[in-house]
Structure formats: C-alpha cells, structure tokens
Amino acid sequence: EEVWTSSITGVTGTIFTRLLMGPICDVYGARISMGMILVLASIPSGLLGFVQNAQELALLRFFISIAGSCFVMCQYWT
C-alpha cells in the first residue's frame, strides 16, 4: 500500500505540473521553463537517499514528478 501511495502522488504531481507548464511556457519561453523544471526536480532527487519512511517517500515522489512535465516544453519547441 505504501508503494501504491507514492505512485499515486507521483502521477498527481505530474498532472498538475503539466497543466501549469503551458501558460508558463507562453510567458517565459520553453528554455527557461525547462531549466527551471530540471533544477527544481534535481533537489528532491538528491534528497531521495535520506528517506526514512513512506510519508517522506510519497512527498519526494510528488516533487520528483515535476520532471515528468518536461515533455510539455519539448512539444512547445516543435
């Protein structure tokens, strides 16, 4: 059940971030948006080794799922 919860939080974060990235790309452009997403996703990825329980894993999976919206910027470029 704990793995299931972390997976659900990961998908939820990706969905919300995908919805936000379209307007952000319109305002700031795809390059700045992509850089911002990659930097923001690298911080929780680096903290993943310090996870002690399932709640921390679910929280970090939510923030790591921000990187799942990178395809929006790739589609914006083409």
Side-chain angles (χ1 to χ4, degrees):
E1 183 175 319
E2 294 169 348
V3 173
W4 179 256
T5 303
S6 70
S7 296
I8 293 294
T9 58
V11 170
T12 304
T14 301
I15 291 169
F16 286 127
T17 311
R18 287 177 184 180
L19 293 173
L20 291 174
M21 289 318 297
I24 289 174
C25 283
D26 288 338
V27 173
Y28 297 108
R31 287 186 297 173
I32 293 173
S33 301
M34 177 73 92
M36 182 177 62
I37 287 296
L38 292 176
V39 168
L40 289 176
S42 69
I43 296 168
S45 296
L47 294 174
L48 199 57
F50 298 107
V51 169
Q52 298 289 324
N53 56 39
Q55 291 82 15
E56 292 174 1
L57 175 64
L59 184 65
L60 284 179
R61 286 282 305 265
F62 178 80
F63 288 113
I64 290 171
S65 70
I66 291 171
S69 68
C70 283
F71 84 92
V72 174
M73 281 72 73
C74 295
Q75 292 297 317
Y76 191 85
W77 269 321
T78 58

